Amino acid sequence: MVPNVLTIAGTDPSGGAGVQADLKAFSAHGAYGMSVITALVAQTTTGVAEVHEVPPEFITAQLVTLLDDVRVDSVKIGMLANAEVIRAVVEVLDRYAPPHVVLDPVMVAKSGDRLLAPEAVGALRDELLPRVDLITPNLPEAADLLGEPELADVDGMPAQAERLAGLGAKQVLLKGGHLSGESSVDLLYGDGIAEFLTSERVVTTNDHGTGCTLSAAIAALRPQRPDWLTAVRESKDYLTEALRASERLDVGHGHGPVHHFHHWW
Ligand SMILES: Nc1ncnc2c1ncn2[C@@H]1O[C@H](COP(=O)(O)OP(=O)(O)O)[C@@H](O)[C@H]1O
Ligand SMILES: Cc1ncc(COP(=O)(O)O)c(N)n1
């Protein structure tokens, strides 16, 4: 069965992150992709120029129209922009209770530009986080959600994942991509397991959208796999290979970092 997978996220015209990247990752993992837009973003891998927020009632309209008509087998939530959008999504989750909801708590792009209003972090933590099945914070996002300093090494990850679970997340994938060293280590925590997933750290600058692609692949695979650990393990392997492939790309001269690892799809 080909799962119907929904992404609720912002746009990225360069195709490397956001809704555009999610739909590519869904297709690459045998899923039928659908999408609701939370914000129109003028950006490339080098930064965010402008954000046009979609009115929350129109996000509700997009979601209700779709969910009244189509079966949804899993959901990936990315950029939400502000607290009103978060509340609109929460109401729909309570009303339709879709299975396998993955929340990628997008707050700041790699370029340093904010994608979630600072005053909305509380709503994401207190109102949305307890309603999702898996949250996939990177280390800056985990620190923001807990109001604590960013971790500087892998050793602190199990305790921090436990604190995130304490906020109500059923499963936590704490991502260690922002650390350095020859491995890129993540921790899957929840349902009685605390499992480190380690890959080679690929030397690349083409890492725009890594988090989006990972969480989208997980959402696509979860309905096709027996458990989260299997879906997460396979998604991480896929992402690592995508990063390696981006280094073999012959994009010629004059291309900026926009030609990042999605290009090889
Ligand atoms: N250079 C890299 N080589 C291999 N894996 C990486 C690299 N950078 C990040 N990752 C992996 O990509 C995923 C996204 O991690 P991270 O970059 O921390 O999240 P985000 O993109 O949300 O900031 C994680 O699985 C992480 O381990
Ligand atoms: C719409 C949207 N969603 C998510 C990200 C995060 O991607 P990254 O952390 O690689 O900048 C982004 N840049 N744009």
Side-chain angles (χ1 to χ4, degrees):
M1 175 268 281
V2 174
N4 293 339
V5 182
L6 169 64
T7 176
I8 304 170
T11 61
D12 171 8
S14 74
V19 160
Q20 287 88 338
D22 294 342
L23 292 172
K24 293 178 196 176
F26 292 165
S27 301
H29 289 85
Y32 177 78
M34 307 179 292
S35 61
V36 164
I37 309 290
T38 59
L40 297 173
V41 184
Q43 66 168 317
T44 65
T45 58
T46 55
V48 175
E50 226 173 301
V51 178
H52 181 71
E53 296 178 354
V54 174
E57 55 277 2
F58 188 66
I59 294 170
T60 304
Q62 290 179 78
L63 286 166
V64 168
T65 308
L66 179 70
L67 294 172
D68 279 349
D69 177 46
V70 178
R71 188 197 76 246
V72 171
D73 299 308
S74 63
V75 180
K76 179 257 164 108
I77 301 172
M79 175 184 179
L80 293 168
N82 61 56
E84 293 71 33
V85 170
I86 290 172
R87 294 192 177 103
V89 171
V90 163
E91 274 171 32
V92 168
L93 291 181
D94 284 350
R95 181 168 153 190
Y96 292 89
H100 304 319
V101 179
V102 178
L103 170 64
D104 188 12
V106 172
M107 295 183 195
V108 178
K110 280 200 175 52
S111 54
D113 302 292
R114 285 206 74 90
L115 296 168
L116 178 70
E119 63 274 10
V121 174
L124 188 142
R125 180 190 58 239
D126 302 338
E127 300 171 44
L128 181 55
L129 193 148
R131 289 176 161 85
V132 303
D133 298 294
L134 172 72
I135 179 170
T136 64
N138 59 30
L139 293 179
E141 289 157 351
D144 242 356
L145 286 167
L146 291 164
E148 61 188 45
E150 187 173 334
L151 286 186
D153 56 46
V154 174
D155 300 344
M157 289 175 74
Q160 185 170 67
E162 189 173 0
R163 289 195 291 277
L164 286 165
L167 296 177
K170 296 181 188 62
Q171 298 267 349
V172 177
L173 178 65
L174 184 56
K175 301 176 299 188
H178 289 232
L179 295 173
S180 56
E182 78 271 4
S183 300
S184 195
V185 181
D186 305 336
L187 174 68
L188 181 64
Y189 182 94
D191 268 352
I193 65 163
E195 187 92 12
F196 279 105
L197 300 107
T198 303
S199 77
E200 165 211 1
R201 180 176 293 278
V202 177
V203 178
T204 176
T205 54
N206 293 327
D207 63 355
H208 170 68
T210 43
C212 303
T213 299
L214 182 74
S215 55
I218 294 167
L221 279 178
R222 181 61 189 86
Q224 306 175 71
R225 295 293 179 274
D227 52 43
W228 287 107
L229 180 56
T230 311
V232 169
R233 211 187 281 285
E234 219 171 295
S235 301
K236 184 172 174 64
D237 292 346
Y238 167 83
L239 179 65
T240 308
E241 183 44 42
L243 285 164
R244 283 195 195 107
S246 73
E247 289 316 293
R248 292 195 296 268
L249 215 66
D250 171 17
V251 292
H253 301 287
H255 289 283
V258 172
H259 283 269
H260 37 78
F261 66 90
H262 285 299
H263 188 78
W264 69 287
W265 276 325

